[in-house]
């Protein structure tokens, strides 16, 4: 998602400096976007020194903490000038809180701004952003994202609220995915063609944007992985922990987590969420 965002921001005329934890992905990105006017930084600190807005697309909270607070991290390059860091990944409230505290003490502005949407949504600028932070910082982020990467930036509360809201969204999404997968398996085993079953579901009361953009993954074995079961397990653990800390029971989320864990134990962790609709 970060690579797609960099390409779209540059195509809209913005000055973009990019850095990635995986050099191989940078080489692939440069090969796929030879005309993109994007400067590649050596370290997160180098990227931060030239920026007024920093957008982090990282896999989890530990990656966020390492990239921001580690050696040659964002914090070491951002100190001393006015810069806003937005975390657009699903990092979880714990990591977000630690990063926010460290940045605040150094005068660096921060918004936890996880997104709902796929890589396709990045490319057509239709992400939904759930932003937690000070109103003026969210407005500054909105001025960069709206109409470029995002169709809407919703201010859901102060620091940490965006991270919490994203976990709630993802937990509902994973429950929908599990229900869809089971429905397809039951329909097929009852003699209904999979394509026909999917068409009915997509036209029914349970229809959601997810059914539209996951259609290929559910109907074609071996489709590209858009969201792995390993990542889903990580997000669900964070969601269940968040609920437990608030004293809220989540039996549905926990049941979905057990199903995903069973698939991972069967060696399917790197597979897409849609893999649950086939024999596990």
């Amino acid at each position: 998602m970060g690579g797609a965002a960099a390409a779209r921001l540059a195509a809209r005329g913005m000055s973009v400096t990019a850095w990635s934890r995986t050099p191989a992905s940078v080489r692939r990105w440069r090969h796929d976007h030879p005309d993109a006017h994007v400067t590649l930084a050596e370290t997160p600190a180098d990227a931060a020194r030239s920026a007024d807005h920093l957008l982090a697309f990282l896999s989890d909270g530990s990656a966020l903490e390492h990239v921001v607070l580690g050696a040659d991290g964002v914090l070491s390059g951002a100190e001393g000038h006015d810069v806003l860091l937005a975390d657009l990944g699903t990092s979880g409230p714990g990591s977000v809180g630690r990063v926010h505290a460290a940045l605040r003490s150094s005068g660096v502005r921060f918004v936890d701004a996880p997104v709902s949407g796929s890589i396709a949504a990045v490319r057509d600028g239709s992400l939904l952003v759930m932003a937690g932070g000070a109103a003026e910082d969210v407005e500054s982020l909105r001025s960069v994202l709206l109409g470029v990467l995002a169709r809407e930036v919703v201010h859901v509360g102060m620091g940490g609220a965006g991270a919490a809201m994203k976990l709630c969204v993802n937990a509902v999404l994973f429950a929908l995915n599990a229900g869809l997968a089971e429905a397809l398996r039951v329909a097929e085993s009852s003699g209904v063609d999979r394509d026909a079953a999917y068409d009915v579901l997509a036209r029914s009361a349970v229809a959601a944007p997810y059914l539209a953009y996951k259609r290929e993954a559910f109907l074609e074995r071996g489709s590209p992985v858009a969201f792995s079961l390993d990542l889903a397990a990580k997000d669900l653990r964070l969601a269940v922990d968040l609920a437990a800390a608030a004293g809220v029971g989540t039996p549905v989320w926990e049941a979905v987590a057990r199903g995903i864990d069973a698939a991972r134990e069967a060696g399917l962790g790197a597979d897409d969420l849609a893999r649950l609709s086939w024999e596990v």
Side-chain angles (χ1 to χ4, degrees), residues 100-179:
H100 195 179
L103 292 175
R104 184 171 56 240
S105 66
S106 299
V108 179
R109 295 180 293 147
F110 179 75
V111 174
D112 51 296
V115 303
S116 179
S118 61
I119 292 176
V122 175
R123 291 175 177 153
D124 65 16
S126 62
L127 290 172
L128 170 66
V129 181
M130 295 151 268
E136 60 270 23
D137 294 338
V138 173
E139 190 57 39
S140 179
L141 179 64
R142 184 179 282 116
S143 71
V144 173
L145 298 184
L146 201 61
V148 181
L149 298 181
R151 60 179 167 83
E152 194 169 1
V153 178
V154 181
H155 188 192
V156 295
M158 295 305 292
M165 190 68 243
K166 176 57 188 298
L167 292 178
C168 292
V169 169
N170 274 13
V172 173
L173 188 68
F174 301 147
L176 173 60
N177 182 88

Side-chain angles (χ1 to χ4, degrees), residues 39-261:
T39 300
L40 299 179
E42 292 293 324
T43 67
D46 291 336
R49 290 188 185 99
S50 63
D52 49 24
H53 291 81
L54 292 162
L55 307 179
F57 287 90
L58 295 163
S59 58
D60 56 31
S62 62
L64 176 70
E65 293 187 58
H66 177 73
V67 168
V68 176
L69 307 179
D72 292 323
V74 165
L75 182 56
S76 62
E79 287 183 294
H81 72 280
D82 184 28
V83 59
L84 169 66
L85 170 64
D87 171 29
L88 285 84
T90 307
S91 302
S95 290
V96 162
R98 288 186 288 274
V99 167
H100 195 179
L103 292 175
R104 184 171 56 240
S105 66
S106 299
V108 179
R109 295 180 293 147
F110 179 75
V111 174
D112 51 296
V115 303
S116 179
S118 61
I119 292 176
V122 175
R123 291 175 177 153
D124 65 16
S126 62
L127 290 172
L128 170 66
V129 181
M130 295 151 268
E136 60 270 23
D137 294 338
V138 173
E139 190 57 39
S140 179
L141 179 64
R142 184 179 282 116
S143 71
V144 173
L145 298 184
L146 201 61
V148 181
L149 298 181
R151 60 179 167 83
E152 194 169 1
V153 178
V154 181
H155 188 192
V156 295
M158 295 305 292
M165 190 68 243
K166 176 57 188 298
L167 292 178
C168 292
V169 169
N170 274 13
V172 173
L173 188 68
F174 301 147
L176 173 60
N177 182 88
L180 176 59
E182 291 178 2
L184 289 172
R185 292 177 66 181
V186 171
E188 273 194 306
S189 66
S190 302
V192 180
D193 176 76
R194 176 175 282 245
D195 288 58
Y198 205 94
D199 285 343
V200 170
L201 289 164
R203 290 174 170 82
S204 74
V206 304
Y210 185 75
L211 272 73
Y213 70 72
K214 292 295 284 186
R215 182 183 182 91
E216 179 184 355
F218 276 102
L219 298 182
E220 301 291 338
R221 283 184 182 268
S223 297
V225 176
F227 201 105
S228 74
L229 289 161
D230 281 339
L231 280 179
K234 180 267 295 184
D235 287 0
L236 266 177
R237 283 195 300 272
L238 290 172
V240 170
D241 289 346
L242 175 69
V248 178
T250 52
V252 172
W253 297 2
E254 290 165 36
V256 173
R258 288 193 295 272
I260 290 175
D261 285 342

Side-chain angles (χ1 to χ4, degrees), residues 5-22:
R8 184 165 173 88
L9 289 164
R12 291 301 185 93
M14 297 187 185
S15 176
V16 179
T17 298
W19 176 85
S20 173
R21 294 188 297 152
T22 52

